[in-house]
Each structure stands twice: as structure tokens, then as C-alpha cells.
Amino acid sequence: DADVTQTPRNRITKTGKRIMLECSQTKGHDRMYWYRQDPGLGLRLIYYSFDVKDINKGEISDGYSVSRQAQAKFSLSLESAIPNQTALYFCATSDLGHQETQYFGPGTRLLVL
Amino acid sequence: KNEVEQSPQNLTAQEGEFITINCSYSVGISALHWLQQHPGGGIVSLFMLSSGKKKHGRLIATINIQEKHSSLHITASHPRDSAVYICAGYTQGGSEKLVFGKGTKLTVNP
């Protein structure tokens, strides 16, 4: 089984709808991240969490919120989806420590109509 | 501003060729992460390095701290190496985060 899983893998929704993307990990890592990937722009950090009680905004957090329900679970919500949030979303984890390798989930393709 | 730039953006090679992908980074980046993104979208870590050189199979990554430059080399390239290769830098100063390059799309033809 994969160490980092994301659900759903694909989602089509309409403008204005609330969407939740979920991420679970079995690696026992403290640090979790949400990124989005757009063609030609590379990956950009949305939110990150260094432990259950620590949530931080990344460079593009507007329009998104997160919840760290447990060490193993980190959810990303789009409160009111808009078309420019159409992208590929990745969750990642890393161990507590200095510049540890990040492990990525398989990604969620989101299309907002 | 912390920045990571990759070149080339696209690269096409014939099977067996030696491949080099370059990454330059700004002051404030303390370590580099090389990642591979498969055509299906999945991302895997290849190397994390802050000095010297690392090798895994046909892949070699080097970093020159003084020049703020890193390279990823692929020896004896194969069509299965076709993927997007991403360089990402860890920022210094407490909250360690990755700053990503835009990726290099490699196509290896048989």
C-alpha cells in the first residue's frame, strides 16, 4: 500500500461548491504539506503543518483552508471553488528534522467548471 | 526572494545518450531536492543534497555551493527515463520549505 494517499484522485465540481481533498499517511511523519501544480508554473505551497497543533500559510493560501485532524491526516478545503483553482493538487510529508526528503501522494486532479 | 531556475525547459535525447539537467538557485537556498514526475503525474524523490555528489544507479546529482548550481546527470539514457525532472531548494531561516523550479521535460526516444 502507498505510504501517502489522496482522495479523491479526480474531481469535477462547479463554481461556488465546497470541496475537500483528503490526505493520509502511514509514514509516521510529523510534517505535512499541500501543493498545487499548474502547467508552466511548477509546484507552489498552499499550506503546511509541522505537527497537529501547527498550521501555516504558504505562498498561495487565499481561497483555501486546512485541517490537521491527526498526525496522519491533513485535509485541504476549497470553501467556494472558482475556475482558477483548477489544478493538480499534491499532498506531501516529511520527517521532523533538518531538510528531510519529502514524500508525495499521487495527486488529485481538480476541475472547477 | 528565494528562487530556483532550471534549464533546459525541454530536452529530447536518443536512447543511450548522456543527459544533463541544470539547476541554479539564489542566496537563501541551503539544500537541493531532485524529484522525478512520471507522465501519470506521480512525484518521487531522487536525491537530497547540500554538498558534493550522490549516485543512484544511472543517476548522478552534483552540487556546487559556491556557484549555487546543481546538475542531474543520467547515463545511458533509456525511454523509461522520460519524465519531468524537478529541482527544489530548501529555504534557510527556520521554517524550512521547498521552492520549486518549473521542471525539465525529458523525452528519450528509442
Side-chain angles (χ1 to χ4, degrees):
Chain A
D1 289 339
D3 294 321
V4 184
T5 58
Q6 292 182 232
T7 56
R9 294 294 311 279
N10 294 278
R11 182 72 184 267
I12 300 173
T13 192
K14 295 182 178 180
T15 297
K17 294 292 188 180
R18 185 178 186 273
I19 296 294
M20 179 180 285
L21 309 182
E22 298 186 342
C23 177
S24 294
Q25 52 114 347
T26 58
K27 297 189 76 67
H29 289 168
D30 286 310
R31 299 183 173 192
M32 299 186 73
Y33 310 81
W34 275 106
Y35 298 99
R36 66 176 278 176
Q37 186 179 41
D38 299 275
L41 291 180
L43 286 147
R44 292 180 291 167
L45 181 63
I46 306 171
Y47 269 96
Y48 62 103
S49 168
F50 282 176
D51 65 42
V52 174
K53 296 181 180 179
D54 177 73
I55 304 287
N56 303 281
K57 292 183 178 181
E59 62 180 297
I60 54 164
S61 59
D62 288 349
Y64 300 94
S65 63
V66 290
S67 172
R68 184 81 185 267
Q69 300 96 320
Q71 186 203 39
K73 295 184 182 295
F74 192 35
S75 300
L76 176 72
S77 293
L78 288 67
E79 298 300 326
S80 180
I82 57 177
N84 77 359
Q85 291 178 312
T86 293
L88 183 55
Y89 290 85
F90 287 98
C91 173
T93 75
S94 67
D95 204 356
L96 183 64
H98 183 62
Q99 297 169 351
E100 292 288 336
T101 297
Q102 289 194 14
Y103 297 86
F104 287 78
T108 294
R109 291 189 180 276
L110 177 65
L111 173 61
V112 183
L113 301 174
Chain B
K1 181 179 177 183
N2 298 312
E3 292 183 336
V4 173
E5 295 192 1
Q6 288 184 238
S7 63
Q9 188 174 346
N10 292 282
L11 182 56
T12 300
Q14 289 299 122
E15 184 173 356
E17 288 184 0
F18 182 82
I19 303 293
T20 296
I21 298 170
N22 296 300
C23 178
S24 296
Y25 56 94
S26 64
V27 172
I29 299 293
S30 57
L32 279 186
H33 202 161
W34 280 100
L35 303 157
Q36 180 192 54
Q37 185 169 24
H38 298 293
I43 298 174
V44 296
S45 172
L46 298 175
F47 298 104
M48 171 75 76
L49 68 167
S50 56
S51 65
K53 174 180 174 180
K54 289 189 177 180
K55 184 177 189 292
H56 180 71
R58 294 181 295 106
L59 301 177
I60 304 167
T62 64
I63 189 168
N64 183 318
I65 297 168
Q66 286 72 29
E67 295 184 3
K68 295 183 178 50
H69 181 269
S70 178
S71 294
L72 177 68
H73 306 286
I74 305 175
T75 61
S77 59
H78 190 277
R80 65 175 175 266
D81 297 325
S82 297
V84 175
Y85 292 85
I86 301 169
C87 172
Y90 262 113
T91 59
Q92 293 172 315
S95 56
E96 297 163 348
K97 295 175 287 185
L98 283 174
V99 176
F100 292 83
K102 294 181 180 180
T104 295
K105 184 177 181 180
L106 172 65
T107 303
V108 181
N109 294 316

